Amino acid sequence: MTVTQSTTQVKAKERAAFWQDVACQTYVRVQCELINNHNFSAQVAQTDIGSLKFTDHRCSIPMQYKRLAQGFREDSCSDFQLMLLESGTAHVTQQGRQAVLSSGDMVLYEAAHPFALDFTTPHKSLNFKIPHHLLSSRLSQASDLTAITLKGNTAIGQIAAAAIRHSHRLQELPTSAAQNRAGSALLDMLTTAMDMELSRQQEVPTRHQHILATIKHYMVANLDDAEMNIERIARTHNVTSRTINRLFALDGTTAIRWLWQQRLNASHKALCEGRFKQVTDAALNCGFSDFSHFSRSFKKAFGVCPHTLIQR
């Protein structure tokens, strides 16, 4: 059985709040941010296939979804989401990685960790909500695959995408037992595709990958250096600033954005672990010198002000 929810069911001024509730009920507790409200319409159709939940998701405008710290207090969901982007463009950020998707690409992310899902255009996606234990029992390194682009133009990617596009037909099977068996077989096939991608990611690094890993290690080891910039990093590693920008672009980000995220993550971890009694000390230790900018960015990234972690 397929259940469809659409913004056409409510008045235009109520659609943003309605869609916020739909997203949280269908997927996981998130914050929705509409880029604009002009001609906003959205729809999601959900079909249960055994233990898997399949959704056909459509939206007429760019949209951002963020799983922040308060989401973990409101639900304890740890399910994985496997998304096939059918149209539009999107960025998925989690665990310090960012996947950049175009039409036909796939990505995995999980509710157990903060994430940001940024659709930069009107879009359509097909999604599988997979219970954590079902995926991790088949793929123990599943968390290592989150926020990595699974390209749809590879042989295994094309097979996986085709299976996802036709998976809603499994509800037509005559019995729930048959649906469960078919859903399990489908998950096995999708897991194989993800496992092959993981193996590709873990191949012997190329020279550029080795340089990028070395630069990232240097940046993390010197987070407290507020004066660190691209030029200094380039001189230290005997490469050009343009090379650094190109290396990080292959990761779907920029050097400064990546460094900023590492600093925010490090400050959040330090405050959660109680290693500092003053927010300013944590900020300075992670390379921040503008404390008001730090506080705003921290709250935007984690959904809480840094001083609330001190109070806890």
Side-chain angles (χ1 to χ4, degrees), residues 192-216:
T192 299
M194 289 184 280
D195 194 21
M196 293 180 67
E197 177 64 18
L198 180 60
S199 298
R200 187 187 67 80
Q201 294 284 332
Q202 292 178 335
E203 289 175 354
V204 178
T206 65
R207 177 176 176 274
H208 283 177
Q209 289 172 325
H210 177 72
I211 294 173
L212 180 59
T214 301
I215 290 172
K216 286 181 174 180

Side-chain angles (χ1 to χ4, degrees), residues 51-52 78-83 94 107-112 128-147 150 183-196 198:
S51 299
L52 309 177
S78 62
D79 294 341
F80 285 92
Q81 289 279 353
L82 177 62
M83 180 179 76
Q94 188 170 57
V107 68
L108 183 73
Y109 57 99
E110 62 178 319
F128 268 115
K129 187 175 184 180
I130 309 170
H132 190 282
H133 71 278
L134 288 183
L135 188 60
S136 59
S137 64
R138 291 171 166 82
L139 187 63
S140 60
Q141 315 98 315
S143 293
D144 295 332
L145 260 180
T146 58
L150 306 175
S184 181
L186 174 64
L187 185 55
D188 287 338
M189 193 277 295
L190 295 175
T191 301
T192 299
M194 289 184 280
D195 194 21
M196 293 180 67
L198 180 60

Side-chain angles (χ1 to χ4, degrees), residues 96-123:
R97 297 183 293 269
Q98 184 180 68
V100 180
L101 283 77
S102 55
S103 179
D105 293 339
M106 290 157 280
V107 68
L108 183 73
Y109 57 99
E110 62 178 319
H113 300 283
F115 65 77
L117 178 55
D118 185 3
F119 292 100
T120 55
T121 63
H123 50 278

Side-chain angles (χ1 to χ4, degrees), residues 207-238:
R207 177 176 176 274
H208 283 177
Q209 289 172 325
H210 177 72
I211 294 173
L212 180 59
T214 301
I215 290 172
K216 286 181 174 180
H217 179 78
Y218 169 83
M219 294 165 76
V220 170
N222 293 276
L223 287 181
D224 59 339
D225 182 2
E227 303 300 321
M228 186 176 3
N229 55 34
I230 298 298
E231 290 72 23
R232 179 183 297 179
I233 296 169
R235 287 195 303 271
T236 301
H237 294 85
N238 197 30

Side-chain angles (χ1 to χ4, degrees), residues 25-308:
Q25 293 168 10
T26 305
Y27 301 106
V28 67
R29 180 65 59 178
V30 291
Q31 288 184 0
C32 298
E33 297 182 14
L34 281 67
I35 306 305
N36 64 70
N37 285 315
H38 182 63
N39 293 328
F40 168 51
S41 64
Q43 161 184 312
V44 63
Q46 178 172 300
T47 304
D48 289 351
I49 303 173
S51 299
L52 309 177
K53 294 185 182 299
F54 174 79
T55 56
D56 182 324
H57 180 118
R58 307 171 187 222
C59 187
S60 66
I61 63 171
M63 180 78 76
Q64 294 178 340
Y65 301 90
K66 293 183 178 179
R67 171 80 160 161
L68 302 174
Q70 64 264 38
F72 297 100
R73 295 194 296 270
E74 296 169 357
D75 72 50
S76 57
C77 180
S78 62
D79 294 341
F80 285 92
Q81 289 279 353
L82 177 62
M83 180 179 76
L84 165 62
L85 187 65
E86 285 281 67
S87 65
T89 57
H91 299 161
V92 179
T93 306
Q94 188 170 57
Q95 299 282 67
R97 297 183 293 269
Q98 184 180 68
V100 180
L101 283 77
S102 55
S103 179
D105 293 339
M106 290 157 280
V107 68
L108 183 73
Y109 57 99
E110 62 178 319
H113 300 283
F115 65 77
L117 178 55
D118 185 3
F119 292 100
T120 55
T121 63
H123 50 278
K124 173 187 175 182
S125 66
L126 302 176
N127 311 271
F128 268 115
K129 187 175 184 180
I130 309 170
H132 190 282
H133 71 278
L134 288 183
L135 188 60
S136 59
S137 64
R138 291 171 166 82
L139 187 63
S140 60
Q141 315 98 315
S143 293
D144 295 332
L145 260 180
T146 58
I148 294 177
T149 305
L150 306 175
K151 300 299 293 182
N153 58 5
T154 64
I156 192 66
Q158 290 174 351
I159 294 171
I164 292 173
R165 291 186 180 107
H166 295 287
S167 58
H168 68 282
R169 299 289 303 274
L170 296 181
Q171 67 173 320
E172 300 172 11
L173 294 174
T175 66
S176 59
Q179 292 179 19
N180 277 321
R181 289 198 302 271
S184 181
L186 174 64
L187 185 55
D188 287 338
M189 193 277 295
L190 295 175
T191 301
T192 299
M194 289 184 280
D195 194 21
M196 293 180 67
E197 177 64 18
L198 180 60
S199 298
R200 187 187 67 80
Q201 294 284 332
Q202 292 178 335
E203 289 175 354
V204 178
T206 65
R207 177 176 176 274
H208 283 177
Q209 289 172 325
H210 177 72
I211 294 173
L212 180 59
T214 301
I215 290 172
K216 286 181 174 180
H217 179 78
Y218 169 83
M219 294 165 76
V220 170
N222 293 276
L223 287 181
D224 59 339
D225 182 2
E227 303 300 321
M228 186 176 3
N229 55 34
I230 298 298
E231 290 72 23
R232 179 183 297 179
I233 296 169
R235 287 195 303 271
T236 301
H237 294 85
N238 197 30
V239 296
T240 65
S241 299
R242 184 179 178 183
T243 295
I244 291 178
N245 291 331
R246 188 166 61 247
L247 290 173
F248 278 91
L250 294 174
D251 258 12
T253 186
T254 67
I256 296 303
R257 185 186 303 157
W258 189 87
L259 176 61
W260 188 263
Q261 188 61 53
Q262 303 315 302
R263 284 176 164 160
L264 284 174
N265 290 344
S267 62
H268 183 267
K269 185 173 186 292
L271 290 172
C272 286
E273 293 175 352
R275 286 194 269 128
F276 296 96
K277 297 189 179 298
Q278 298 293 332
V279 170
T280 53
D281 292 338
L284 287 169
N285 185 72
C286 295
F288 295 103
S289 55
D290 185 333
F291 302 128
S292 60
H293 190 197
F294 163 70
S295 293
R296 290 194 301 271
S297 299
F298 191 99
K299 184 174 182 180
K300 183 177 180 180
F302 303 110
V304 295
C305 294
H307 66 83
T308 62

